[in-house]
C-alpha cells in the first residue's frame, strides 16, 4: 500500500474526525439545526434529544453514575478553568490550598497561577525520573486548607499515566476533591471516575477522533456532590454551570466518538501499542544513544518520546519533514526554553533539546511505521555526521568537561 | 514555523561539512554555543600564506536555521581574506536566509564562529612568531 506524505504522527496534538463521527454530525448542521434550549417546538426537542443521547454516551465511557454529571464546554481548557476556578471560588471559605503537579498541561498550570495571584496557595508536586507522581507525596501535601487536588491522567508529551486510583483513595479518605485533566488518556487507558474516586474530569473530543471546539467537564453529583461557581454568565445553560448555546453537531460527534471508543477502544489500544513497539524497536536497534523519556510501563500506547543524543530536535524535525511530529526542543518554541515536562523529569537540557514525540493513533499503519523508522534512522545518522558533539563523543571527549561559551 | 526556501536548501544540502586538522598551524578552529542551549557550531578555516581562506569546514548541532547559517558562512568566507571574512555581519546572514526574529541568534552564532576561528588562527600565528 502506498503511503501518503506527510505521515501524521502527532496524535497527541489532535486527531482527525472519524468518518463515522462526521456522518452522525452532518444532519445537525442542516435539517436538524435546532437550538437545544428551544423548548417550544420540534426543532428544539430534536436537538435536545441528540444532546442528551451524547451526554449518556460520554457518561458511560467515563463510568459516571448519571448523564447529569456532564457539563458541555468548548474544550478541555475551558473545562479545567471551570473545574479549578469554580471549586476555588465556591469553597473559598473552607480553605485556600490546591495541589497539582509540575507535569500538568498549561491549562491547569496557568489557571493555578491565576489563583495564586488571588491569594490561593498552590503546591506543585514533583515527579520521579519516570515522570510519575508518588501518591504518598499527595498524602503529605494535604493540609486542612486543601480544597482540591488536580492531577492529569496521562501526560501529553511523555505519555506517562498517573496512579489515579491510588491518589483517589487518598483524596476521598481526606475529604479533598480530585480533578483530573483526562484529555490524553480518556478512552485509551483504564479510566473510571467511580472506581478511581475522581470528582471532576476534563475531557475534549478532538483527541479521540471527534471534532475540535467541544469538551466536557464531569462533575460528581453524589458522594460528594461537587458545587461550582460558573465562570461564564448568561442564559444559565447546563444547569447553570456553563451558559451559552450548545454546539449541537459537535456534541453529537463527541457522543459518537465516545461510543466508538467504548466498543473498539481496547482492541485499538493494543493494536496501537504493537505499532508503537515496532517503531521503538526498529529505531533503537539501529541507532545508539537514543533514550526513552518517561516510564515505559505506565505509558499511553500511542506515545513514543525519544531523545536522540547529539542531534538537535528541531533540526531533526526539519530533516524528517515527511512526518508530522513534535519536539521538546527550545528551538520550536517562541520562548527558547526546552520542554518544562522533560526538565521536570530531570532530563538534561542537552537531551531535552534532542527529543522528538511520536504520537500514533487509530489510522497509523505498519507501512507508515516502517517508513518513519527508516527515515529517522537515516536522518539521525546524517545529522550526527554533521554534529560536532557526535565527533567529540566518538573521540572520547567528555562533553561535560568542555568549557562551553554559552550565549 | 515555515522555513524559507534558502534555509531548507542549505539544510538539505549543506556545503562544507567536515573537519580540518586542528593541529595544523594554518588552521583556525572556532567552537561556539553550548549543548545545553541547543546549539553548538564548530567552524574551521585553513589560511594560505597570502592570508586568503583556502578552505572552510563546519559541523553544527542545532536547528535547520543554525545548520543553514553555518553552511552559508563557510561558503561565503572561502576565497576571502581573513580581514574580509571578519567583516561579515550576522544581519548579512539574516537577510540572505530570510531568518525570522526567533532565529536571529542562529546567525549571531555563525558570526561568532567565524570570528572565533579567525582569532584562533591569529593566536597560532603569533605564538609561532614569538
Ligand atoms: C493534557 C491536555 N490538557 C488539555 C488540553 C487542551 O484541550 P483543548 O484543546 O480541548 O482545550 C490538551 C490539548 O491540547 C492536552 O493535551
Ligand atoms: S539552534 Fe536553536 S533556534 Fe537555531
Amino acid at each position: 500500500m502506498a503511503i501518503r506524505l506527510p505521515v501524521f504522527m502527532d496524535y497527541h496534538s489532535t486527531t482527525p474526525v472519524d468518518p463515522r463521527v462526521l456522518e452522525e454530525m452532518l444532519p445537525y448542521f442542516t435539517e436538524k439545526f435546532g437550538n437545544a434550549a428551544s423548548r417550544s417546538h420540534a426543532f428544539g426537542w430534536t436537538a435536545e434529544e441528540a444532546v442528551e443521547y451524547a451526554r449518556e454516551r460520554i457518561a458511560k465511557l467515563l463510568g459516571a453514575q448519571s448523564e447529569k454529571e456532564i457539563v458541555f464546554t468548548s474544550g478541555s481548557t475551558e473545562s479545567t478553568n471551570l473545574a479549578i476556578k469554580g471549586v476555588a471560588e465556591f469553597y473559598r471559605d473552607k480553605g485556600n490550598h490546591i495541589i497539582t503537579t509540575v507535569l500538568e498541561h498549561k491549562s491547569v498550570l496557568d489557571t493555578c497561577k491565576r489563583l495564586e495571584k488571588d491569594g490561593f496557595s498552590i503546591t506543585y508536586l514533583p515527579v520521579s525520573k519516570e515522570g510519575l507522581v508518588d501518591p504518598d507525596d499527595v498524602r503529605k501535601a494535604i493540609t486542612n486548607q486543601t480544597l482540591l487536588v488536580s492531577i492529569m491522567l496521562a501526560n501529553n508529551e511523555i505519555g506517562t499515566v498517573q496512579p489515579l486510583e491510588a491518589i483517589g483513595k487518598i483524596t476521598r479518605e481526606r475529604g479533598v476533591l480530585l480533578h483530573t485533566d483526562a484529555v490524553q488518556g480518556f478512552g485509551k487507558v483504564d479510566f473510571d471516575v467511580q472506581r478511581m474516586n475522581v470528582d471532576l474530569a476534563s475531557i475534549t473530543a478532538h483527541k479521540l477522533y471527534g471534532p475540535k471546539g467541544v469538551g466536557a467537564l464531569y462533575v460528581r453529583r453524589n458522594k460528594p456532590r461537587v458545587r461550582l461557581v460558573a465562570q461564564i454568565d448568561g442564559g444559565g445553560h447546563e444547569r447553570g454551570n456553563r451558559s451559552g448555546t450548545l454546539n449541537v453537531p459537535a456534541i453529537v460527534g463527541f457522543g459518537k466518538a465516545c461510543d466508538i471508543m467504548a466498543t473498539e477502544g481496547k482492541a485499538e489500544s493494543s493494536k496501537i501499542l504493537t505499532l508503537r513497539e515496532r517503531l521503538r524497536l526498529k529505531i533503537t536497534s539501529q541507532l545508539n544513544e537514543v533514550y526513552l523519556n518517561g516510564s515505559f510501563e505506565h505509558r499511553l500506547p500511542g506515545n513514543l518520546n525519544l531523545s536522540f543524543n547529539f542531534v538537535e530536535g528541531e533540526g531533526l524535525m526539519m530533516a524528517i519533514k515527511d512526518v508530522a511530529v513534535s519536539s521538546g526542543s527550545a528551538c520550536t518554541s517562541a520562548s527558547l526554553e526546552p520542554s518544562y515536562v522533560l526538565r521536570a523529569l530531570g532530563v538534561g537540557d542537552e537531551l531535552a533539546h534532542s527529543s522528538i514525540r511520536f504520537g500514533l493513533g487509530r489510522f497509523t499503519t505498519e507501512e507508515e511505521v516502517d517508513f518513519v523508522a527508516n527515515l529517522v534512522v537515516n536522518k539521525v545518522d546524517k545529522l550526527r555526521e554533521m554534529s560536532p558533539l557526535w565527533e567529540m563523543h566518538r573521540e572520547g571527549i567528555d562533553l561535560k568537561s568542555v568549557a562551553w561559551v554559552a550565549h | 514555523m515555515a522555513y524559507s526556501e534558502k534555509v531548507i536548501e542549505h539544510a538539505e544540502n549543506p556545503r562544507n561539512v567536515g573537519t580540518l586538522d586542528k593541529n595544523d598551524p594554518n588552521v583556525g578552529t572556532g567552537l561556539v554555543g553550548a549543548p545545553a542551549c541547543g546549539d553548538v557550531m564548530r567552524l574551521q578555516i585553513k589560511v594560505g600564506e597570502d592570508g586568503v581562506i583556502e578552505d572552510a569546514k563546519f559541523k553544527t548541532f542545532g536547528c535547520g536555521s543554525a545548520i543553514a547559517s553555518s553552511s552559508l558562512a563557510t561558503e561565503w568566507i572561502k576565497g576571502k581574506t581573513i580581514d574580509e571574512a571578519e567583516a561579515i555581519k550576522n544581519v548579512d546572514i539574516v537577510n540572505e536566509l530570510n531568518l525570522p526574529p526567533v532565529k536571529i541568534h542562529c546567525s549571531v552564532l555563525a558570526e561568532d564562529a567565524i570570528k572565533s576561528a579567525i582569532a584562533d588562527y591569529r593566536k597560532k600565528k603569533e605564538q609561532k612568531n614569538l
Side-chain angles (χ1 to χ4, degrees), chain A residues 18 84 93-94 169 222 239 302 371:
Chain A
D18 189 297
I84 300 178
D93 51 354
K94 288 204 163 155
K169 276 207 184 83
N222 191 15
R239 298 167 194 280
F371 170 83

Side-chain angles (χ1 to χ4, degrees), chain A residues 310-312 314-315 318 321 331 334 336 349-350 353-354 382-383 385-389 391-392 402 404-407, chain B residues 3 7-8 11-12 14 17 19 31 33-40 42 59-64 67 102-103 105 109:
Chain A
F310 314 117
V311 172
E312 197 279 323
E314 187 183 340
M318 184 170 170
K321 62 179 175 355
C331 304
L336 295 180
D349 283 350
E350 293 91 317
H353 281 292
S354 300
K382 187 168 164 235
L383 288 170
E385 282 314 312
M386 222 191 279
S387 164
L389 305 178
E391 187 180 308
M392 293 161 91
V402 177
W404 297 106
V405 196
H407 54 286
Chain B
Y3 295 96
V7 168
I8 293 173
E12 284 182 351
V17 175
T19 308
L31 182 65
C37 305
D39 26 39
V40 175
R42 190 191 63 199
K59 282 199 176 185
T60 289
F61 163 83
C63 70
I67 292 171
V102 293
K103 295 295 175 182
H105 81 268
L109 209 60

Side-chain angles (χ1 to χ4, degrees), chain B residues 12-100:
Chain B
E12 284 182 351
N13 310 292
R15 331 286 199 260
N16 308 309
V17 175
T19 308
L20 299 173
D21 176 8
K22 62 176 183 294
N23 299 318
D24 181 335
N26 295 320
V27 168
T29 300
L31 182 65
V32 296
C37 305
D39 26 39
V40 175
M41 256 180 220
R42 190 191 63 199
L43 190 145
Q44 296 181 298
I45 51 173
K46 183 168 185 177
V47 186
E49 293 308 320
D50 50 2
V52 171
I53 298 172
E54 287 172 356
D55 201 4
K57 295 276 183 210
F58 83 93
K59 282 199 176 185
T60 289
F61 163 83
C63 70
S65 306
I67 292 171
S69 297
S70 34
S71 167
L72 178 68
T74 55
E75 203 174 49
W76 273 356
I77 60 177
K78 268 211 234 177
K80 284 198 165 68
T81 65
I82 50 177
D83 291 335
E84 287 165 351
E86 208 171 15
I88 292 173
K89 289 272 166 294
N90 83 293
V91 288
D92 305 332
I93 296 171
V94 170
N95 292 336
E96 174 66 19
L97 295 177
N98 293 319
L99 296 181

Side-chain angles (χ1 to χ4, degrees), chain A residues 82-331:
Chain A
L82 173 57
I84 300 178
K85 290 176 186 165
V87 162
E89 220 177 298
F90 191 90
Y91 297 97
R92 180 147 213 167
D93 51 354
K94 288 204 163 155
N96 71 343
H97 182 225
I98 293 171
I99 299 168
T100 186
T101 80
V102 291
L103 221 58
E104 300 299 308
H105 188 261
K106 286 284 180 196
S107 53
V108 171
L109 292 177
D110 287 2
T111 298
C112 287
K113 283 214 188 89
R114 174 164 315 236
L115 288 175
E116 243 168 344
K117 284 195 194 119
D118 284 352
F120 277 85
S121 137
I122 316 283
T123 299
Y124 299 92
L125 294 177
V127 291
S128 69
K129 273 227 258 307
E130 299 260 276
L132 298 171
V133 177
D134 183 347
D136 236 23
D137 286 348
V138 177
R139 186 195 309 278
K140 286 181 203 142
I142 295 175
T143 71
N144 61 5
Q145 286 296 305
T146 309
L147 296 177
L148 178 72
V149 172
S150 182
I151 294 181
M152 72 201 315
L153 172 60
N155 183 266
N156 44 302
E157 279 187 44
I158 52 172
T160 49
V161 178
Q162 301 299 343
L164 272 192
E165 191 158 1
I167 293 166
K169 276 207 184 83
I170 295 166
T171 49
R172 181 62 80 244
E173 192 183 294
R174 300 291 298 270
V176 171
L177 296 176
L178 175 61
H179 166 251
T180 185
D181 168 352
V183 165
Q184 293 287 346
F186 179 52
K188 299 170 190 171
V189 296
D190 179 35
F191 183 58
D192 184 310
V193 291
Q194 203 50 29
R195 178 161 48 81
M196 297 181 171
N197 288 307
V198 168
D199 301 308
L200 298 131
S202 295
I203 52 178
T204 196
H206 74 102
K207 310 278 185 181
L208 72 165
Y209 314 96
K212 293 167 186 57
V214 64
L217 178 65
Y218 159 80
V219 187
R220 179 178 291 279
R221 281 169 64 90
N222 191 15
K223 293 185 186 170
R225 178 186 176 84
V226 179
R227 310 292 298 275
L228 298 170
V229 174
Q231 302 296 306
I232 295 182
D233 297 317
H237 307 72
E238 297 297 275
R239 298 167 194 280
N241 284 312
R242 200 276 190 180
S243 290
T245 298
L246 291 176
N247 183 353
V248 178
I251 288 169
V252 167
F254 194 4
K256 178 65 178 176
C258 289
D259 186 52
I260 293 174
M261 274 303 189
T263 53
E264 300 176 9
K266 265 221 169 73
E268 179 171 299
S269 283
S270 83
K271 183 198 116 188
I272 292 171
L273 180 64
T274 306
L275 289 174
R276 199 241 3 240
E277 282 303 283
R278 185 180 175 95
L279 179 63
R280 184 177 70 85
L281 292 170
K282 279 195 173 242
I283 291 174
T284 54
S285 64
Q286 295 178 77
L287 290 172
N288 51 23
E289 290 288 333
V290 178
Y291 301 94
L292 178 72
N293 296 311
S295 164
F296 175 71
E297 193 185 342
H298 304 283
R299 190 178 197 96
L300 289 174
N303 177 282
L304 185 64
N305 188 311
L306 296 175
S307 284
F308 298 89
N309 208 359
F310 314 117
V311 172
E312 197 279 323
E314 187 183 340
L316 178 55
M317 282 208 299
M318 184 170 170
I320 58 168
K321 62 179 175 355
D322 281 339
V323 40
V325 290
S326 84
S327 167
S329 156
C331 304

